[in-house]
Amino acid sequence: MPGEPAFIQALRAIATTPAARALADDAAVLQVGGETLVLTLDTVVESVHYLPADPAADVAWKLVAVNVSDLSAKGATPLGCLYSHALGEDAWDKSFLLGLEEACGHFAIPLLGGDTVRMPDGAPRSFSLTAIGTAGKAAPVPCRSAARAGDEVWVSGTIGDAGLGLAVAAGKLPAAAGPAAALLSAYRRPSPEPRLGAALAPLVHAMMDVSDGLLVDAARIADASGVSIAIEADAVPLSPALISVAGKGLDSRMQAMTAGDDYELLFTAPAGQAAGIREAAEAVGHHVTRCGMVSQGSGLSLTHDGRPLPLPGRLGYQH
Amino acid sequence: MPGEPAFIQALRAIATTPAARALADDAAVLQVGGETLVLTLDTVVESVHYLPADPAADVAWKLVAVNVSDLSAKGATPLGCLYSHALGEDAWDKSFLLGLEEACGHFAIPLLGGDTVRMPDGAPRSFSLTAIGTAGKAAPVPCRSAARAGDEVWVSGTIGDAGLGLAVAAGKLPAAAGPAAALLSAYRRPSPEPRLGAALAPLVHAMMDVSDGLLVDAARIADASGVSIAIEADAVPLSPALISVAGKGLDSRMQAMTAGDDYELLFTAPAGQAAGIREAAEAVGHHVTRCGMVSQGSGLSLTHDGRPLPLPGRLGYQH
């Protein structure tokens, strides 16, 4: 098994129960007692997913946030989480717990339990978190593969902030204090709205969260659904902080569409539903933007001001 | 926070939802749609919980088995599991997946999903598994703290095999091939009966699985319940393989009662229920043995042939 794709293929051969959704959907969907439960698990590893110098409280916050984002993408609201903690230096662990408590409070996801383990001396540590949520009774549970020709493509919030925040964190981007703080916060403390997915689920066809970059994730929906998706670069929503630092030109937009860690929702919905979709998002204090079209065919394409644009060589973070 | 006990104390201050059971019970208990769900999470770390030379398939088997044991101790039958895999050498990973598939099949716990991560070069790897089970509708969910004065103490299966199996694995115990294989298998491929806990749950007061040693786990039930527990060393069930290698004298029994990794169920039940308890276990192909009494007071005591026996200095594996 050379590498991760082959390994996941081998895992798929084991995870044959329908609830596993062929491991194609970032979350499992289980029917229990007439309710639809959604389960997801994410692991972060020191020096791979975060740096030893990153604030411990932010590492914990992000671990909770990415799992909440996975639940939301399935239209589920959080019921609780369990997590596994690799013990390390006391002050770091204490700070981690403060971030965990803040995040569990912020996202209304109670800590239910977990495990603590000791690591061999000097070993990089890792933290796994399982989140469980409910999509209610007979609620539709969106997946990646349900986009249809004629749908419009939507994205929530703004795109690219976390990517620039990473550059700020690495000291690569000089920026005024205000915007720099906003971008850094987007990177270190992503804040998916946990109620957004449940509000949108009845209105959408396909839905997933944008974790690896808008373009690569849109390409994944296109592939899984057997359709073509055209993203309109000029329609992609950018934040005031991003615009103040990088502008709103095409270079800035390309950067934003290929950066990871957005944890916003990308979804497709039938044309003509715009008002209802915007209302549903606003009802939970969030906003959504139409940024593309689904048509027959395959693959991803890009336009700018109505003209075709070549795809960049790298669509986002690819595992 | 000096060390694990202080860390867990700090975690308890966060896990205040009733479903977390104050992190005192190895599993969370969540009510969803009229059903009682049980969730548990365990992590194993290379060079801490297993050795790099251990067969990868056995590492995977044991990871599934210990979580199934936690579900069973709560009277829950498995619904599924998610796990996190730290990628390593291809052949090892492939063997791990074979063991995972075997264990998921054996314990009837479908793989629902998970995560794969890369580790920094040369880093020890760790694997986390979350299991979810159901205790049905309005089923009693046993805990550690419900033992009552007058209860009898019971244990399922036999005790101490895995402890001797560890000695076999370490090359410290010369043994005939047959018994050695049986003991090694008890250590590397523990086989808790996933239906046993659900069969016993309506009949017991306190219940937990024996993972750290019969004596230390009995002491935990005594502490949590505010009662005194007396274990009868001569009544503790030993396997033919263990007896053939170590005999059934007091030394052998003390060794068995303080060794870990049994993954049997330790429970207390009202006196006079012996026949019903044995029938319930036999109905799922397992057996149980009465091995002690609960009385008013506190702490653990030990007898042998009716005479008091001093407690050993070490009651089992203590975190």
Side-chain angles (χ1 to χ4, degrees), chain B residues 211-233:
Chain B
S211 58
D212 291 340
L214 177 66
L215 293 188
V216 72
D217 287 329
R220 286 170 180 154
I221 289 181
D223 284 352
S225 303
V227 295
S228 169
I229 288 183
I231 296 291
E232 298 159 20

Side-chain angles (χ1 to χ4, degrees), chain A residues 1 4 43 84 90 116 130, chain B residues 1 4 43 84 90 115-116 130:
Chain A
M1 284 187 300
E4 190 168 358
T43 297
S84 171
D90 284 351
T116 56
T130 298
Chain B
M1 284 187 299
E4 191 169 358
T43 297
S84 172
D90 283 352
D115 196 11
T116 57
T130 298

Side-chain angles (χ1 to χ4, degrees), chain A residues 1-2 4 7 15 20 28 33 35 37 41-43 48 83-85 90 94 111-112 115-116 118 123-124 126 128 130, chain B residues 1-2 4 7 15 20 28 33 35 37 41-43 48 83-85 90 94 111-112 115-116 118 123-124 126 128 130:
Chain A
M1 284 187 300
E4 190 168 358
F7 183 82
E35 282 208 42
L37 298 181
L41 167 63
D42 272 293
T43 297
V48 176
Y83 98 107
S84 171
H85 186 97
D90 284 351
K94 190 170 182 179
L111 178 64
L112 300 178
D115 196 11
T116 56
R118 298 200 167 278
S126 58
S128 291
T130 298
Chain B
M1 284 187 299
E4 191 169 358
F7 183 81
E35 281 207 45
L37 297 181
L41 167 63
D42 272 293
T43 297
V48 176
Y83 98 105
S84 172
H85 187 98
D90 283 352
K94 192 171 180 177
L111 179 64
L112 300 178
D115 196 11
T116 57
R118 299 201 166 278
S126 58
S128 291
T130 298

Side-chain angles (χ1 to χ4, degrees), chain B residues 152 154 270-279 288 290:
Chain B
E152 295 181 312
W154 295 78
Q273 307 284 331
I277 288 169
R278 289 202 179 89
E279 268 170 37
V288 290
R290 191 199 151 287

Side-chain angles (χ1 to χ4, degrees), chain B residues 136-187:
Chain B
K137 292 187 192 299
V141 175
C143 59
R144 293 184 184 189
S145 57
R148 298 183 206 167
D151 279 0
E152 295 181 312
V153 180
W154 295 78
V155 68
S156 69
T158 59
I159 290 296
D161 301 76
L164 280 192
L166 173 59
V168 171
K172 290 180 188 164
L173 186 77
L183 298 172
L184 197 55
S185 174
Y187 170 61

